[in-house]
Amino acid sequence: MRKKSAPLNRAAVPAVLLLAAALGLAACGSSDDDDPPARYSAEIRRTTLGVPHIKADDWGGLGYGFGVAQAQDNLCTIAESFVTYRGERARWFGPDALLSSSGTAGRPRNLDADFFHRHVLSAEALAAFKAAQPADVVTLIDGFVAGYNRLLADLKAGSATGHAACAAAGWLQPATADDIYRRLYATNFAGGYSNFVGQIANALPPAPATPSAAPAGRQAALSRSQRRAIEQAFARLDLQVGGEEGVGSNMYGFGADASEVPLLFGNPHWYWRGPDRFYQAQLTIPGKLNVSGASFLGVPLVLIGFNENVAWSHTVSTARRFGFFQLSLVPGEPTAYLKDGVRVPMTARSITVQSLAADGTVSDVTRTLYTSEHGPLVNLAPLNPALAWSGSTAFAIRDINAANHRTFRNWMRWAQAGSLEAFAQIQREEAAIPWVNTVAVGRGDPRAWYADIGAMPNVSAQQVATCTTPFGQAVAGALPRVPFFDGSRAACDWQTDADSRQPGAIGASRMPSLLRRDYVANMNDSYWLANPAEPLTGYPDILGPAGTQAQSLRTRLGHLMVQRRLAGTDGYAGNKATPEVLQQMVLDSRVLTAELFKDAALAAVCSGTPAAPLPLSADPLGGAITPAVNVDVALACSTLAAWNGRGTADARGTHVWDEFWTRAQRIPAAQLYTVPFNPADPLNTPRGLNTTDTTALRQAFAAAVYRVQQSGFAVDAPRSEVLYATRNGQRIGLYGGCGANGYFTIACSEKRIEQGGYSMDEDPNGNSYMQIVAFKPEGVQAHTFLTFSLSDDPASPHHADYTRRYAAGQWLRVPFTEAEIAANADLKTTRVRE
């Protein structure tokens, strides 16, 4: 025991330790008998690529260590997200700038984001959410906040380094527990409210008018042109989650008939930037919790991952999580509506946010926003003037997850699940998963589990027939299965089953699940084909289509890859799913459109040897080409003829194919294919490229080659030159592509090729946290990628290392047991305490 002299500065101890962590040094913390007891204490053990393994004796310490680790790696992004969820973006970044990165709320104007978050994350809503959290989650959050603030304090004091992007910013402020609760609660809305940020933030009533003699009746039928205009307007909505393409994921679970051991592959195609990107970590409380995987930034729980007994992953579900109600207003009162003839006042909320002007002054901006019994009022007038909030009609939106306070209790329980059966039972009991499907496997269990069991609106077929308003009928063409009901009748309220976990939600017994000994999978189409050998049918329509529409190219390819694996016809050894084969199979960048259509397409557009130039007068993506040009397609044709149909890093000409198919898929399916979709053969239809009239195909190909030629990239450039991520000014060549073009390995850039190529630097989505987990006799074994790397700080050694490893296709065997962590060659341990 050391001799004590002057009192010790309590803040200095964690500052020194955290500085060591920031510098990547190994540190050992010890506690003397004379030291004051620590409120929070944890070990942060970083292994290869900086992955943190956080160990503590209690929930508060675990949260503390996790808060420190996340802040060490991503302080600026987390801090900016707190500004967003507090509704303070306009104060710091100005009212008209857009959010700095895309996420589940898109990229709205700062001022709109502020009013939206102040409204849906109101003090009342947040209090209800907080009150529903179990004690362990509350303690974990308190510890996380303390750990985050510890790192922030050390940065401000100069005893921690990095984070130059925000270190001196006024908005970099200590967090509170409410910041975490807002972040958690906002996660619920990715399938609902978050797709209508501007519409909710700008829902303002008209001025009161002189009452008419009688209240307005139900709206009259719309004309065909009105219906078409409304449908087209809603079709242009950019739904961030659950939209036409949007973000997505691939996942497989293999049972005993397909694999020697329970085996899971999970791969969200998610955001590479911003607060919704994943963070990889392991969380351990000996005897209580030992879970490894990924969470969103600012979330102190593992959302996708594995423990000693269970592994699971998620994909975005097709089930709708929201709906609209058309309100019939009280004459002369635009903020009151009639429900079965009874006046119901809306709830007003006066919200004031601060806004930064160009001259540096800050002023207050106030809006009074309204909520109905269903949810917030929504301004649909920008979509179509007929949908304006008028003197007789207003519209409200309901998100089933606004009253779903069980999500993080569900994930907490999953993290501690002792078997696959216990995991499935937790999902049934909570019915809380907000907007994703689930696949899981478990130690010693010969089956794999699929379920789309979560919070979903409970509407009957009879309600859809009798409650859908004329506006709703028009919207249905663009947003099928979204209830758009008459809010003037209680008979049109969402229903409640005997086993519903919250009012207005479907009971777990009426939601789909499947246990199979071979495999289950989902690639963002509906529950219908979790396994094509056992189609799931008979579930409520709001969950998604079952056998009525073609599957995505990615879904088809995903199932075909498994079927060929189990038949032993995919070129890999054997006929079982093994971790080793799976590691190769999911990165081989197969392109289904090339496999199905390349030969026929080239025969149609590459006539002659060499191919003759094609006249181009219009680009299907860019309008008229004036004057028309003759496009030399000879090199493109010969390059694609030699291409093996995969988007690997060294594949040449893939960008030409991508540009071509992006245009070709705009041709109506009835004109593009010779064999239409057949629900009896969903993995092989539609098929057959229609080449009886090649005009549209030739225009699409000519436009594709022309755009590539104009872009500055060679027609025969390798994939890794055109598709890339940039770290500290250096390009890292990648592989894969977009699901809409038939890729299974996803790296989908928002950039057009003429804008510098397919850059994954500005709001991309693609392979993110990837895990292959096998429950072998000797223990759980996991291989992972965090494709965009652990840290958003360019000064961090972990800003690019994982990305380079992913580019090289080198999976990380992530340590899990205490022995594996201790034996890791890159281990650096830091003890943090407060």
Side-chain angles (χ1 to χ4, degrees), residues 522-546:
N522 187 267
M523 282 69 69
N524 298 120
D525 276 306
S526 80
Y527 62 89
W528 177 46
L529 292 185
N531 185 300
E534 189 177 351
L536 298 172
T537 59
Y539 293 96
D541 185 62
I542 201 165
L543 273 82

Side-chain angles (χ1 to χ4, degrees), residues 68-69 76 93 146 410 448 509 616 636 668 821:
V68 170
C76 294
F93 308 118
N410 189 128
S509 62
L616 177 64
I821 294 169

Side-chain angles (χ1 to χ4, degrees), residues 273-341:
R273 299 176 64 240
D276 290 323
R277 77 183 221 159
F278 285 112
Y279 184 84
Q280 183 176 356
Q282 181 176 352
L283 306 178
T284 303
I285 301 175
K288 287 186 179 180
L289 177 77
N290 194 17
V291 63
S292 181
S295 64
F296 296 151
L297 293 178
V299 173
L301 293 166
V302 167
L303 304 181
I304 289 177
F306 61 94
N307 62 23
E308 297 98 329
N309 302 300
V310 183
W312 74 95
S313 194
H314 295 303
T315 62
V316 173
S317 163
T318 58
R320 299 299 190 180
R321 312 290 170 152
F322 69 96
F324 298 103
F325 285 89
Q326 182 174 330
L327 307 179
S328 295
L329 302 181
V330 175
E333 292 188 73
T335 59
Y337 57 96
L338 294 168
K339 184 76 168 286
D340 289 338

